[in-house]
Amino acid sequence: MRAPVTAYVGLGANLGDPSAAVRAAIEGLDALPQSRVTARSSLYRTAPVGATGPDYVNAVAALETSLTAPDLLAQLQHLEQRAGRERPYPNAPRTLDLDLLLYGDARIASPRLVVPHPRMHERAFVLHPLAEIAPHLVPAASLAAVTSQVIAGLP
């Protein structure tokens, strides 16, 4: 078995019961083979970025995993499909969205996967929850750059 790596997964949903979908997805992450959730952020409400539709509920989870990055991506896509994810057009509202943000210190650029996630430093809905569970990964300048994006913690 491979040595475990800490991966960070961004979670979001804005259809159905988004809070329940994100919570269920975190449980799903914890049940993945060779993986366990080691930290999870609070839930946050955000407006869609570059799209229309209902507000999103977002979070970030840290996952210790021995899965390869491509295998982890396949597992994330399987969780999305089980949650009813459809992709009718880019940035469409969704029942569940799981993004592999970071995979250890790996840099991956393939047709299927880019890590670190190419737009994570532009998105308050990623940076705020990531800073909550891994502040060493989020420079203050990155948080300052997204202050115009509305984000609110949920109870």
Side-chain angles (χ1 to χ4, degrees), residues 8-12 22 29 58-61 76 80 96-102 125-126 129:
Y8 292 89
V9 177
L11 302 97
V22 169
L29 291 174
N58 294 99
V60 169
L76 298 180
E80 288 177 338
L96 183 63
D97 184 33
L98 300 174
D99 289 328
L100 181 53
L101 303 172
L102 298 166
F125 66 82
V126 171

Side-chain angles (χ1 to χ4, degrees), residues 9-137:
V9 177
L11 302 97
N14 73 336
L15 294 177
D17 184 342
S19 295
V22 169
R23 286 187 186 100
I26 291 170
E27 290 176 15
L29 291 174
D30 200 41
L32 292 179
Q34 305 172 45
S35 305
R36 70 182 179 92
V37 171
T38 57
R40 57 178 274 185
S41 73
S42 303
L43 300 182
Y44 292 83
R45 179 172 306 283
T46 61
V49 174
T52 59
D55 285 352
Y56 276 84
V57 171
N58 294 99
V60 169
L63 186 67
E64 187 175 284
T65 185
S66 295
L67 296 172
T68 65
D71 288 345
L72 179 55
L73 176 64
Q75 292 287 337
L76 298 180
Q77 291 172 340
H78 179 71
L79 289 173
E80 288 177 338
Q81 289 170 350
R82 280 190 10 215
R85 170 82 188 259
E86 296 178 358
R87 299 172 189 263
Y89 54 89
N91 298 323
R94 52 205 72 173
T95 54
L96 183 63
D97 184 33
L98 300 174
D99 289 328
L100 181 53
L101 303 172
L102 298 166
Y103 182 83
D105 58 3
R107 301 225 173 265
I108 302 167
S110 75
R112 289 194 58 232
L113 178 62
V114 177
V115 173
H117 190 284
R119 292 172 302 284
M120 66 182 274
H121 293 292
E122 302 168 4
R123 297 173 168 176
F125 66 82
V126 171
L127 294 177
H128 282 272
L130 181 60
E132 180 184 334
I133 62 172
H136 63 285
L137 294 175

